[in-house]
Amino acid sequence: MSQFLLTWIITALSLLITAYLVPGIIIKGLMVAAIAALVMGLINAVVRPILILFTLPLTFLSLGLFLFVINAISFSLVSYFTPGFEINSFWDALFGSIILSFVSSVLSQALEPREV
């Protein structure tokens, strides 16, 4: 349970940092970021695998680059289902999803406890 809570907090913080760095992404508070983190987890668990399966030939032909588009679509879906979280354009979603992945991985490395 504590690993889930830590991942949720890291995702919410990553969303806030991403909204600060990308001008076209707006998050109207910490509670909105926490809700968006939960919605993101649900979309990444349910919708994203279906999108990847349906677009597999296109992903294969683009040598995997179409996965960036899938991530942007998933990120846009999170903003659609979360009130107070807005993404202005597709390009903001694309750059935001890339920055979110980077920030989230850096925070995960910095905040997760290490085994000795």
Side-chain angles (χ1 to χ4, degrees), residues 48 51-52 55 58-59 62 64-77 90-91 93-95 97-98:
R48 190 169 179 270
L51 286 174
I52 290 173
T55 61
L58 190 55
T59 303
S62 69
L65 291 176
F66 194 73
L67 287 175
F68 287 116
V69 175
I70 298 292
N71 288 341
I73 291 170
S74 299
F75 198 47
S76 294
L77 279 174
F90 171 77
W91 295 109
L94 182 67
F95 295 134
S97 66
I98 293 169

Side-chain angles (χ1 to χ4, degrees), residues 3-19:
Q3 183 65 30
F4 169 76
L5 188 60
L6 183 62
T7 303
W8 182 35
I9 291 170
I10 288 172
T11 305
L13 286 174
S14 299
L15 280 169
L16 289 171
I17 293 170
T18 302

Side-chain angles (χ1 to χ4, degrees), residues 40-60:
M40 183 176 291
L42 289 173
I43 287 177
N44 283 340
V46 177
V47 177
R48 190 169 179 270
I50 295 170
L51 286 174
I52 290 173
L53 182 66
F54 285 147
T55 61
L56 196 57
L58 190 55
T59 303
F60 181 73

Side-chain angles (χ1 to χ4, degrees), residues 19-110:
Y20 178 76
L21 294 175
V22 180
I25 298 175
I26 301 162
I27 296 179
K28 297 182 179 175
L30 185 59
M31 192 61 162
V32 173
I35 293 169
L38 285 176
V39 172
M40 183 176 291
L42 289 173
I43 287 177
N44 283 340
V46 177
V47 177
R48 190 169 179 270
I50 295 170
L51 286 174
I52 290 173
L53 182 66
F54 285 147
T55 61
L56 196 57
L58 190 55
T59 303
F60 181 73
L61 287 174
S62 69
L63 302 175
L65 291 176
F66 194 73
L67 287 175
F68 287 116
V69 175
I70 298 292
N71 288 341
I73 291 170
S74 299
F75 198 47
S76 294
L77 279 174
V78 172
S79 73
Y80 178 77
F81 288 117
T82 307
F85 179 33
E86 300 171 16
I87 298 176
N88 292 333
S89 69
F90 171 77
W91 295 109
D92 292 330
L94 182 67
F95 295 134
S97 66
I98 293 169
I99 291 172
L100 178 71
S101 298
F102 178 74
V103 170
S104 180
S105 66
V106 167
L107 285 177
S108 293
Q109 290 293 320

